[in-house]
Structure formats: structure tokens, C-alpha cells
Amino acid sequence: MLMDGPVDIVLDDGTHVQSDRFVVAICMCKRSKNYPLCDTSHRRTSRTTE
């Protein structure tokens, strides 16, 4: 999900994640190693079709 920045995100454990970029990519799949910010880890999953 793309959001207009800057953003200040408060996680469930109370920690804050801040970004001062103009557009910030928020991870929605929870695969990111930089969660809650997206690192495009969702792209590494291959899909099979039958």
C-alpha cells in the first residue's frame, strides 16, 4: 500500500517507525524483513498454474 509521507507508524508493541519520504510503501503481506515498510519480499514468491 502506498501512502503519502511523511509517516509515523505505531506498532502493536508501542514502537514507532518513521519515514520522511514523499511516498511510503507499507507492507500488507507481512513478508518484509523491514516490516511495516515494504521491501518487495512479496515478489519473490512464485506461483504455479495448472
PDB file of all heavy atoms in Angstrom, residues 8-18 30 35-36:
ATOM      1  N   ASP A   8       4.377   8.317  10.480  1.00  0.00           N
ATOM      2  CA  ASP A   8       4.818   7.830  11.786  1.00  0.00           C
ATOM      3  C   ASP A   8       3.877   6.689  12.136  1.00  0.00           C
ATOM      4  O   ASP A   8       2.699   6.905  12.401  1.00  0.00           O
ATOM      5  CB  ASP A   8       4.753   8.934  12.837  1.00  0.00           C
ATOM      6  CG  ASP A   8       5.233   8.483  14.200  1.00  0.00           C
ATOM      7  OD1 ASP A   8       5.975   7.482  14.285  1.00  0.00           O
ATOM      8  OD2 ASP A   8       4.866   9.130  15.200  1.00  0.00           O
ATOM      9  N   ILE A   9       4.397   5.457  12.113  1.00  0.00           N
ATOM     10  CA  ILE A   9       3.586   4.264  12.339  1.00  0.00           C
ATOM     11  C   ILE A   9       3.864   3.751  13.743  1.00  0.00           C
ATOM     12  O   ILE A   9       5.018   3.604  14.138  1.00  0.00           O
ATOM     13  CB  ILE A   9       3.925   3.169  11.308  1.00  0.00           C
ATOM     14  CG1 ILE A   9       3.694   3.699   9.893  1.00  0.00           C
ATOM     15  CG2 ILE A   9       3.115   1.908  11.572  1.00  0.00           C
ATOM     16  CD1 ILE A   9       4.262   2.813   8.811  1.00  0.00           C
ATOM     17  N   VAL A  10       2.802   3.479  14.495  1.00  0.00           N
ATOM     18  CA  VAL A  10       2.932   2.906  15.834  1.00  0.00           C
ATOM     19  C   VAL A  10       2.551   1.432  15.748  1.00  0.00           C
ATOM     20  O   VAL A  10       1.442   1.090  15.359  1.00  0.00           O
ATOM     21  CB  VAL A  10       2.025   3.635  16.851  1.00  0.00           C
ATOM     22  CG1 VAL A  10       2.195   3.027  18.230  1.00  0.00           C
ATOM     23  CG2 VAL A  10       2.334   5.119  16.873  1.00  0.00           C
ATOM     24  N   LEU A  11       3.512   0.555  16.094  1.00  0.00           N
ATOM     25  CA  LEU A  11       3.279  -0.889  16.050  1.00  0.00           C
ATOM     26  C   LEU A  11       2.561  -1.357  17.308  1.00  0.00           C
ATOM     27  O   LEU A  11       2.425  -0.607  18.279  1.00  0.00           O
ATOM     28  CB  LEU A  11       4.608  -1.620  15.894  1.00  0.00           C
ATOM     29  CG  LEU A  11       5.417  -1.260  14.653  1.00  0.00           C
ATOM     30  CD1 LEU A  11       6.751  -1.988  14.663  1.00  0.00           C
ATOM     31  CD2 LEU A  11       4.637  -1.608  13.400  1.00  0.00           C
ATOM     32  N   ASP A  12       2.098  -2.613  17.287  1.00  0.00           N
ATOM     33  CA  ASP A  12       1.365  -3.177  18.420  1.00  0.00           C
ATOM     34  C   ASP A  12       2.156  -3.130  19.723  1.00  0.00           C
ATOM     35  O   ASP A  12       1.581  -2.983  20.795  1.00  0.00           O
ATOM     36  CB  ASP A  12       0.966  -4.630  18.140  1.00  0.00           C
ATOM     37  CG  ASP A  12      -0.096  -4.732  17.056  1.00  0.00           C
ATOM     38  OD1 ASP A  12      -0.827  -3.741  16.844  1.00  0.00           O
ATOM     39  OD2 ASP A  12      -0.183  -5.799  16.431  1.00  0.00           O
ATOM     40  N   ASP A  13       3.491  -3.258  19.619  1.00  0.00           N
ATOM     41  CA  ASP A  13       4.312  -3.247  20.835  1.00  0.00           C
ATOM     42  C   ASP A  13       4.683  -1.837  21.293  1.00  0.00           C
ATOM     43  O   ASP A  13       5.417  -1.665  22.251  1.00  0.00           O
ATOM     44  CB  ASP A  13       5.572  -4.087  20.656  1.00  0.00           C
ATOM     45  CG  ASP A  13       6.503  -3.539  19.584  1.00  0.00           C
ATOM     46  OD1 ASP A  13       6.195  -2.499  18.975  1.00  0.00           O
ATOM     47  OD2 ASP A  13       7.561  -4.166  19.361  1.00  0.00           O
ATOM     48  N   GLY A  14       4.151  -0.815  20.612  1.00  0.00           N
ATOM     49  CA  GLY A  14       4.351   0.565  21.015  1.00  0.00           C
ATOM     50  C   GLY A  14       5.533   1.260  20.359  1.00  0.00           C
ATOM     51  O   GLY A  14       5.726   2.454  20.560  1.00  0.00           O
ATOM     52  N   THR A  15       6.325   0.541  19.572  1.00  0.00           N
ATOM     53  CA  THR A  15       7.446   1.177  18.899  1.00  0.00           C
ATOM     54  C   THR A  15       6.956   2.003  17.717  1.00  0.00           C
ATOM     55  O   THR A  15       5.917   1.712  17.122  1.00  0.00           O
ATOM     56  CB  THR A  15       8.485   0.143  18.406  1.00  0.00           C
ATOM     57  OG1 THR A  15       7.844  -0.755  17.512  1.00  0.00           O
ATOM     58  CG2 THR A  15       9.100  -0.627  19.555  1.00  0.00           C
ATOM     59  N   HIS A  16       7.725   3.044  17.398  1.00  0.00           N
ATOM     60  CA  HIS A  16       7.389   3.947  16.295  1.00  0.00           C
ATOM     61  C   HIS A  16       8.331   3.691  15.129  1.00  0.00           C
ATOM     62  O   HIS A  16       9.533   3.501  15.330  1.00  0.00           O
ATOM     63  CB  HIS A  16       7.545   5.410  16.723  1.00  0.00           C
ATOM     64  CG  HIS A  16       6.492   5.869  17.657  1.00  0.00           C
ATOM     65  ND1 HIS A  16       5.466   6.672  17.255  1.00  0.00           N
ATOM     66  CD2 HIS A  16       6.294   5.640  18.970  1.00  0.00           C
ATOM     67  CE1 HIS A  16       4.683   6.926  18.296  1.00  0.00           C
ATOM     68  NE2 HIS A  16       5.183   6.299  19.341  1.00  0.00           N
ATOM     69  N   VAL A  17       7.787   3.688  13.927  1.00  0.00           N
ATOM     70  CA  VAL A  17       8.572   3.617  12.702  1.00  0.00           C
ATOM     71  C   VAL A  17       8.249   4.880  11.925  1.00  0.00           C
ATOM     72  O   VAL A  17       7.086   5.165  11.652  1.00  0.00           O
ATOM     73  CB  VAL A  17       8.224   2.354  11.869  1.00  0.00           C
ATOM     74  CG1 VAL A  17       8.980   2.349  10.559  1.00  0.00           C
ATOM     75  CG2 VAL A  17       8.505   1.100  12.673  1.00  0.00           C
ATOM     76  N   GLN A  18       9.288   5.636  11.588  1.00  0.00           N
ATOM     77  CA  GLN A  18       9.085   6.899  10.893  1.00  0.00           C
ATOM     78  C   GLN A  18       9.764   6.878   9.535  1.00  0.00           C
ATOM     79  O   GLN A  18      10.800   6.241   9.358  1.00  0.00           O
ATOM     80  CB  GLN A  18       9.661   8.051  11.710  1.00  0.00           C
ATOM     81  CG  GLN A  18       8.975   8.236  13.031  1.00  0.00           C
ATOM     82  CD  GLN A  18       9.603   9.353  13.848  1.00  0.00           C
ATOM     83  OE1 GLN A  18      10.746   9.715  13.647  1.00  0.00           O
ATOM     84  NE2 GLN A  18       8.824   9.894  14.771  1.00  0.00           N
ATOM     85  N   LYS A  30       3.141  -8.933   5.319  1.00  0.00           N
ATOM     86  CA  LYS A  30       3.979  -9.270   6.488  1.00  0.00           C
ATOM     87  C   LYS A  30       5.162 -10.171   6.144  1.00  0.00           C
ATOM     88  O   LYS A  30       5.696 -10.838   7.001  1.00  0.00           O
ATOM     89  CB  LYS A  30       3.142  -9.881   7.608  1.00  0.00           C
ATOM     90  CG  LYS A  30       2.124  -8.913   8.156  1.00  0.00           C
ATOM     91  CD  LYS A  30       1.445  -9.449   9.374  1.00  0.00           C
ATOM     92  CE  LYS A  30       0.455  -8.409   9.898  1.00  0.00           C
ATOM     93  NZ  LYS A  30      -0.206  -8.836  11.093  1.00  0.00           N
ATOM     94  N   TYR A  35       9.528  -4.847   8.017  1.00  0.00           N
ATOM     95  CA  TYR A  35       8.136  -4.602   8.381  1.00  0.00           C
ATOM     96  C   TYR A  35       8.049  -3.506   9.432  1.00  0.00           C
ATOM     97  O   TYR A  35       8.843  -3.502  10.349  1.00  0.00           O
ATOM     98  CB  TYR A  35       7.508  -5.896   8.927  1.00  0.00           C
ATOM     99  CG  TYR A  35       6.039  -5.769   9.205  1.00  0.00           C
ATOM    100  CD1 TYR A  35       5.123  -5.867   8.187  1.00  0.00           C
ATOM    101  CD2 TYR A  35       5.582  -5.522  10.485  1.00  0.00           C
ATOM    102  CE1 TYR A  35       3.761  -5.731   8.436  1.00  0.00           C
ATOM    103  CE2 TYR A  35       4.233  -5.381  10.739  1.00  0.00           C
ATOM    104  CZ  TYR A  35       3.336  -5.485   9.719  1.00  0.00           C
ATOM    105  OH  TYR A  35       2.002  -5.344   9.961  1.00  0.00           O
ATOM    106  N   PRO A  36       7.176  -2.567   9.323  1.00  0.00           N
ATOM    107  CA  PRO A  36       5.991  -2.457   8.478  1.00  0.00           C
ATOM    108  C   PRO A  36       6.236  -1.803   7.120  1.00  0.00           C
ATOM    109  O   PRO A  36       5.305  -1.592   6.376  1.00  0.00           O
ATOM    110  CB  PRO A  36       5.051  -1.607   9.314  1.00  0.00           C
ATOM    111  CG  PRO A  36       5.951  -0.665  10.025  1.00  0.00           C
ATOM    112  CD  PRO A  36       7.182  -1.489  10.328  1.00  0.00           C
TER     113      PRO A  36
END
